[in-house]
């Protein structure tokens, strides 16, 4: 059997917002910045939801009333850390038997400046690598930049 080691996807951005705002926009306002084109549902996406707290669901809602699971909340430490289970396989389908982890650290650099360190790890569990990894790395880059833009406009949230 050929073991392929797949690198962890890491992204880091500095946002001009408080640590509390940075956390809230990522965890509770994902619907404001998640691109409508990035989903696994059968119908157009109308919302992205992360339910607050440990074991909260992470899913999308769609125009036809359906929902598509992405995963769930593994760790919820308000303002400083969010851990999410990503249960989407290399075919971009939900797989309840699969789990890779998305971890996000929010580090205050002052009252209105936060470093956000994003990591999606254990991608070797996807089993396919290559194009999947490159596609996900590019996708997360886009998504994190959208998050940064919305967060910097959201100081009143």
């Amino acid at each position: 059997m050929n073991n392929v080691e797949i690198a962890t996807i890491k992204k880091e951005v500095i946002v001009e917002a408080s640590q509390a705002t940075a956390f809230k926009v990522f965890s509770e306002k994902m619907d404001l910045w998640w691109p409508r084109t990035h989903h696994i549902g059968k119908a157009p996406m109308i919302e992205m939801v992360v339910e607050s707290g440990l074991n909260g669901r992470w899913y999308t809602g769609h125009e036809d009333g359906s929902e598509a699971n992405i995963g769930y909340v593994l760790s919820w430490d308000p303002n400083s850390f969010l851990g999410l289970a990503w249960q989407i396989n290399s075919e971009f389908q939900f797989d309840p038997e699969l789990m890779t982890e998305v971890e996000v650290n929010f580090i205050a650099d002052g009252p209105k400046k936060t470093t956000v360190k994003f990591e999606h790890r254990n991608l070797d569990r996807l089993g396919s690598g290559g194009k999947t990894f490159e596609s996900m790395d590019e996708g997360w880059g886009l998504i994190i930049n959208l998050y940064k833009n919305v967060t910097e406009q959201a100081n009143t949230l």
Side-chain angles (χ1 to χ4, degrees), residues 87-100:
Q87 296 181 286
I88 297 175
N89 63 27
S90 62
E91 302 297 318
F92 294 102
Q93 298 295 317
F94 178 74
D95 181 348
E97 302 300 314
L98 172 73
M99 185 176 72
T100 62

Side-chain angles (χ1 to χ4, degrees), residues 107-118:
I107 304 157
D109 292 329
K112 294 186 193 264
K113 190 177 200 181
T114 305
T115 298
V116 179
K117 293 185 176 186
F118 170 93

Side-chain angles (χ1 to χ4, degrees), residues 10 56 106:
K10 293 183 180 184
F106 303 86

Side-chain angles (χ1 to χ4, degrees), residues 16-69:
E16 299 294 328
S18 70
Q19 183 184 28
T21 296
F23 180 85
K24 184 175 185 173
V25 172
F26 199 101
S27 62
E28 298 175 29
K29 305 288 184 182
M30 195 177 283
D31 187 57
L32 294 178
W33 50 269
W34 192 275
R36 295 298 191 247
T37 54
H38 288 57
H39 67 86
I40 61 168
K42 305 290 185 224
M45 184 181 112
I46 58 170
E47 68 177 340
M48 169 68 72
V49 179
V50 176
E51 295 175 343
S52 300
L54 190 61
N55 297 317
R57 289 178 61 214
W58 183 14
Y59 64 95
T60 53
H62 300 272
E63 283 183 0
D64 64 358
S66 66
E67 294 178 347
N69 290 319

